[in-house]
Amino acid sequence: MKKTMVVLAVLAIATTLFFGCAKREDAKPATQAATVAATPAKTVATAVTVKEEVRTVKPDYTIRFAYYDAGTWPSIAKLPLPEHAYALVFKSIVEANSNGKIAVDLFPGNALGDTKATMEMAMSGGLEMVTCTGTASSIMPELQVIFLPYVFKSDEVAWDFFDNSQMWQDMAKTFEEKSGLKMLSVGQNGTRHFTNNKRPIHTPADMKGLKFRVMQSPIYVKMVEAMGAAATPLASGEIYTACQTGVVDGQENPIWNIAANKWNEVQKYITLDGHTWSENFVMMNSDFWNSLPADYQHIVEIAAYHAQNADRAAEDLASRVLDFESVKSTMEVYVPTTEELDAFKKAAAPTYDWLRGEVGNDVVDKFLAEVKKSETRFGY
């Protein structure tokens, strides 16, 4: 209950600050136009553009921020999707604390391209800021350690690693050197679960012969194959049609994402195995960051900290409460027993050996040791 109250309070305050930063073209309290995009064979309301603002102060800098999640709140949805929650809070604090001298323009719902395309735009300077999940590992394969199956026992263990681990700080610095993108913060895309149309999945044996859509990251392919299923990497925008037409039998995603994209309409079964914890990397073009005066950099850092917390809280509330109700009312939900979960972990173990071959034993062993430290802090 405390977490629910906190996230609602944060978003309410952020929205008030945000609306007070600039004069709008009209009096409607909305941050983006209600532009509607259609998915194949099913119309899903998603706001994908931002209403152009009339500003009373000429900004010294403008941050164009692109992200995957649709901007359906407040006009459509009951809660902002995680990345949109991040964006709203970030925009509000940056514009308010800079007295409008830093403007933030939001581009939700993949309005400027998918996560790979927008990440590349941010690398080249075509965008100042972007959120991505998984695709960053194409630049730095070592990042795949965080996708090792069943490695994070809980959200708080993952949070502690990203917030307090020296290893993560070092990895973020190396990533910036390789990509020209500064890691501002890490939000929460959520704990991922398997869904499918063929049969309930209680053990790894039930996965044999099934085809699953996975993220376009090699470690996801190896994990699903280790469990005896076939993996088909596809962009997220292709999931609905692929499941509906039988191109794949299933997919894997956090609960909120399943509900937000209505994949539960084309999937019958869900197994809450929590095989991976999925992040929202929020990154800024390094050259742009370095061009900001120190006081403006501090404003951005503070905003990113608050926005990160809003992202995590929004995902937590959606997946554990609000969207879980939608999923369980339309799908057959199965929670593996301790013994069954151990069987999944054992089946997925070859993924660890594969990654060791890709990035080296030292990287994997150091990561596992850091995770163990985080587990200890929370009594695991």
Side-chain angles (χ1 to χ4, degrees), residues 122-124 139 174-182 283 286:
M123 290 170 63
S124 68
I139 298 170
T174 300
F175 178 80
E176 183 176 3
E177 293 169 354
K178 289 177 177 289
S179 66
L181 295 174
K182 176 182 175 59
M283 305 176 293
S286 296

Side-chain angles (χ1 to χ4, degrees), residues 15-58:
T15 303
T16 300
L17 287 171
F18 171 50
F19 294 147
C21 288
K23 181 180 177 181
R24 306 287 165 174
E25 289 181 326
D26 55 43
K28 293 180 180 179
T31 60
Q32 58 276 339
T35 301
V36 176
T39 58
K42 201 74 180 179
T43 299
V44 182
T46 53
V48 295
T49 61
V50 179
K51 191 174 185 64
E52 185 175 349
E53 301 170 36
V54 177
R55 303 183 184 277
T56 57
V57 176
K58 183 179 180 181

